[in-house]
Amino acid sequence: MFNITCPCGKTIPVRAGQAGGTLPCGCGQTVPIPTLGELRRSAAEAGRATSPRLIQHDWRAWWRGVLILVAGCACQLVAFLLPSVITPTTGVIMAVAVLLLAGYVLSFIGTLGIGLGKGLSLGVCLLLVFVIPFGGLVVLFFPGKGADATP
């Protein structure tokens, strides 16, 4: 985390990923953010450590992934139960096909959201989706990277 100063004198915290962009200040001015090299140089001159922080959980992405995964599983469950409740006609069969497809897509997106929210690589997430049965449920129990224990 770096700090930049607005012309009004207010100090604004900036992440490394925001380098080179702009940021609005509370006073209404748009403050340009220096490049990452310039931010590191100014932090080194000020005597602050510039070591990168540990990757922490992105809990919002994790919860979004859980909700999307649950929605996908619910779509699949409805698709499997629908033919036993309603007489199978062409319309019901099409609805089942659409629900199954939507369920699989939502489960795929949810599993990726959970894994990436935990700081896992995209390769590990894809492995969980395509190779491991019920990978969306398995990723819930995978340990994430980082030391953030707050939900």
Side-chain angles (χ1 to χ4, degrees):
M1 189 70 81
F2 301 96
N3 291 321
I4 60 172
T5 305
C6 176
C8 71
K10 184 177 179 183
T11 302
I12 305 170
V14 176
R15 293 186 313 272
Q18 296 174 306
T22 59
L23 191 66
C25 179
C27 68
Q29 297 184 36
T30 301
V31 181
I33 303 171
T35 63
L36 185 58
E38 293 171 356
L39 287 171
R40 286 185 175 157
R41 265 192 302 278
S42 64
E45 290 170 1
R48 293 189 308 269
T50 60
S51 62
R53 293 183 354 190
L54 289 173
I55 297 174
Q56 295 184 350
H57 297 289
D58 183 1
W59 288 104
R60 288 177 297 199
W62 189 86
W63 277 111
R64 264 187 241 122
V66 169
L67 292 175
I68 293 170
L69 179 65
V70 167
C73 291
C75 282
Q76 292 173 6
L77 181 64
V78 168
F80 286 123
L81 294 178
L82 194 61
S84 64
V85 175
I86 299 174
T87 307
T89 62
T90 305
V92 172
I93 293 171
M94 290 299 293
V96 166
V98 168
L99 281 171
L100 276 176
L101 180 63
Y104 287 127
V105 169
L106 288 173
S107 296
F108 173 77
I109 293 170
T111 303
L112 287 180
I114 293 168
L116 295 175
K118 284 188 167 190
L120 302 174
S121 70
L122 182 63
V124 170
C125 295
L126 292 175
L127 177 78
L128 288 169
V129 170
F130 291 115
V131 177
I132 299 175
F134 303 106
L137 299 176
V138 171
V139 75
L140 289 172
F141 302 104
F142 251 65
K145 295 185 176 182
D148 186 12
T150 58

